[in-house]
Amino acid sequence: MPPKVYKPARYLCDHLLDGQKCQGAFRNQSGLTQHINSVHMFHRPTVFSVAHTSSSPTPPPASQVPTLDPEDFVGTNEPPSTSNSESASTGAGIKQHPILDGVPCNAEGVDLPPGTPPPPPTHQDDGFAQYGDCANFKLANLLFKKTEMSAGQINKLMDILAAKYGKPPFASQQDMYDRIDSSKHGGVPWESFSVTYSRPKPKDPENIPSWMNTEYEVWFRDPQTVLEQQLVNPDFRDGIHYAPFQEYGHDGKCRWQDLMSGNWAWSQADELAKDPDTHGAMFAPIVLGSDKTTVSVATGQNKYYLLYASLGNVNNSIWRAHKNAVAVIGFLAIPKTDRKHAGSTDFRRFRQQLFHSSIAAIFEKMRPAMSKPVVT
């Protein structure tokens, strides 16, 4: 049988993914097109132009155009009015919060003129330096992440490549692991802390349940860094709301779709606007979620609550498109005990406190940013 001609992947994807150049490569144009449509395309939000209810073909005089006074939005916890009279005077369109409007600023917090382009990225490393070249990086990604090849099989593969080409891409599986661990491009490092039961225990050591003496390990990533990466992700540039807003249809009624269009976001911005230091800042609510999963660690099975985080500014189309708008920021420990103590009040209370105190500890570093603006 005559040998078949090898066709290299010549069609490269030039889109950005998670702030980095996509590494997609395909052997034909149709493969590239399918990749772009499935990975890089998402529904873009509809922007309504303001249309006044007047039937006159000329704009109404300035005295009839509704104006927004910042004093009207400060000092009240009531949700914004959605009465037909107010909606009718506004017409179809979007009304943005006038104080927490998310205007871009420089490193000193001074607002930039409209239309100022963003600064070029300062990090120019392509992420392949520790691997030697892009091909070695792709091989490590294939073996470690895609196929999850065992250490022994990786060593055998390196032996085969050494016999055929003289020098393998990696000296051993440990060499490949070390290069992966030294990667500084992209990810946020994981940290951990331990939690133990600290309340009074039974005096008799034999009556102390095991869960009271167990040390529970919680793994997490700095949520502020993760959320800042979401904020600067170029894939989200057309799908982020930088300020709370009210959207009105042509029927004059308020419409709700994304989180930032809700009454809650507007009223929270009103509350924050009581502090003059927040004026012009971007209100960035955090959406958290959790579910129980089982993670294999060594030879055992450990159960954790996965903790997810996302910016509330991201519109629904980005979330539905699975554009990494939701990130895992923590593995919360789940205490276990025997049937005798599973229903005890102390154990159930400890489980609840462990869950909530772990979340509080994870977000402790970014507590200052919850009340005072941070320039990112």
Side-chain angles (χ1 to χ4, degrees):
M1 179 182 295
K4 294 185 177 180
V5 178
Y6 169 72
K7 295 181 179 180
R10 299 181 180 274
Y11 296 85
L12 306 179
C13 179
D14 58 359
H15 286 68
L16 293 177
L17 186 63
D18 298 338
Q20 307 172 30
K21 186 176 180 180
C22 179
Q23 301 298 324
F26 306 90
R27 290 181 170 82
N28 51 56
Q29 182 64 48
S30 62
L32 175 60
T33 302
Q34 293 177 14
H35 165 77
I36 293 175
N37 291 338
S38 62
V39 177
H40 298 289
M41 296 296 291
F42 55 86
H43 175 71
R44 296 191 175 188
T46 302
V47 179
F48 294 88
S49 59
V50 175
H52 297 283
T53 56
S54 172
S55 59
S56 172
T58 58
S63 60
Q64 297 181 13
V65 178
T67 58
L68 301 178
D69 185 354
E71 294 295 327
D72 295 337
F73 302 95
V74 181
T76 175
N77 289 326
E78 295 296 324
S81 172
T82 57
S83 63
N84 289 335
S85 59
E86 179 182 345
S87 303
S89 65
T90 306
I94 294 178
K95 181 173 67 176
Q96 184 173 278
H97 197 278
I99 301 179
L100 269 70
D101 51 7
V103 175
C105 65
N106 59 20
E108 287 72 36
V110 179
D111 290 352
L112 297 174
T116 302
T122 57
H123 186 73
Q124 301 296 332
D125 181 17
D126 59 8
F128 305 141
Q130 62 269 33
Y131 298 94
D133 55 37
C134 180
N136 289 350
F137 166 79
K138 290 183 176 180
L139 178 61
N141 184 61
L142 175 67
L143 301 181
F144 183 77
K145 184 177 180 180
K146 302 296 184 181
T147 64
E148 299 182 358
M149 184 177 289
S150 67
Q153 295 297 325
I154 293 175
N155 285 334
K156 289 181 180 179
L157 177 60
M158 294 302 112
D159 291 339
I160 295 173
L161 294 177
K164 186 172 181 62
Y165 299 107
K167 182 180 179 180
F170 305 105
S172 63
Q173 50 85 17
Q174 190 59 50
D175 177 38
M176 188 185 78
Y177 294 161
D178 291 341
R179 293 173 188 268
I180 294 174
D181 291 339
S182 65
S183 299
K184 299 180 180 179
H185 197 61
V188 180
W190 287 91
E191 307 174 57
S192 68
F193 60 86
S194 298
V195 182
T196 56
Y197 182 78
S198 59
R199 291 194 172 187
K201 302 177 183 179
K203 295 181 179 180
D204 187 354
E206 295 184 357
N207 293 331
I208 299 177
S210 59
W211 63 267
M212 288 188 177
N213 293 327
T214 302
E215 186 176 274
Y216 300 95
E217 194 171 30
V218 178
W219 287 88
F220 72 99
R221 297 192 294 170
D222 180 15
Q224 184 168 338
T225 304
V226 172
L227 295 172
E228 287 176 352
Q229 286 190 351
Q230 292 184 2
L231 185 61
V232 301
N233 190 337
D235 287 341
F236 300 167
R237 62 184 177 274
D238 296 320
I240 281 188
H241 301 291
Y242 296 96
F245 65 95
Q246 295 174 327
E247 182 178 346
Y248 296 96
H250 291 284
D251 57 0
K253 295 183 178 180
C254 192
R255 304 196 302 188
W256 296 274
Q257 179 177 356
D258 301 313
L259 188 149
M260 295 295 282
S261 69
N263 291 342
W264 175 85
W266 192 283
S267 61
Q268 288 296 308
D270 286 346
E271 186 68 23
L272 291 170
K274 294 178 180 179
D275 182 356
D277 291 341
T278 65
H279 292 186
M282 172 183 173
F283 173 50
I286 302 172
V287 180
L288 294 180
S290 181
D291 64 5
K292 186 192 301 184
T293 188
T294 301
V295 180
S296 298
V297 179
T299 58
Q301 296 288 328
N302 290 337
K303 290 185 178 181
Y304 292 91
Y305 284 115
L306 280 177
L307 184 63
Y308 304 90
S310 176
L311 280 174
N313 309 77
V314 178
N315 67 33
N316 293 344
S317 62
I318 301 293
W319 279 324
R320 289 194 298 266
H322 304 289
K323 301 294 294 183
N324 294 322
V326 179
V328 177
I329 63 168
F331 289 86
L332 309 181
I334 302 178
K336 296 182 292 185
T337 188
D338 52 32
R339 292 185 178 181
K340 178 180 178 181
H341 300 95
S344 67
T345 302
D346 289 340
F347 178 70
R348 288 188 283 109
R349 183 185 296 116
F350 176 69
R351 286 190 61 166
Q352 296 172 357
Q353 292 177 343
L354 176 62
F355 181 84
H356 292 287
S357 62
S358 297
I359 295 178
I362 290 173
F363 281 90
E364 182 62 31
K365 289 184 178 180
M366 66 176 303
R367 182 180 293 273
M370 297 179 184
S371 56
K372 293 294 182 180
V374 175
V375 178
T376 59

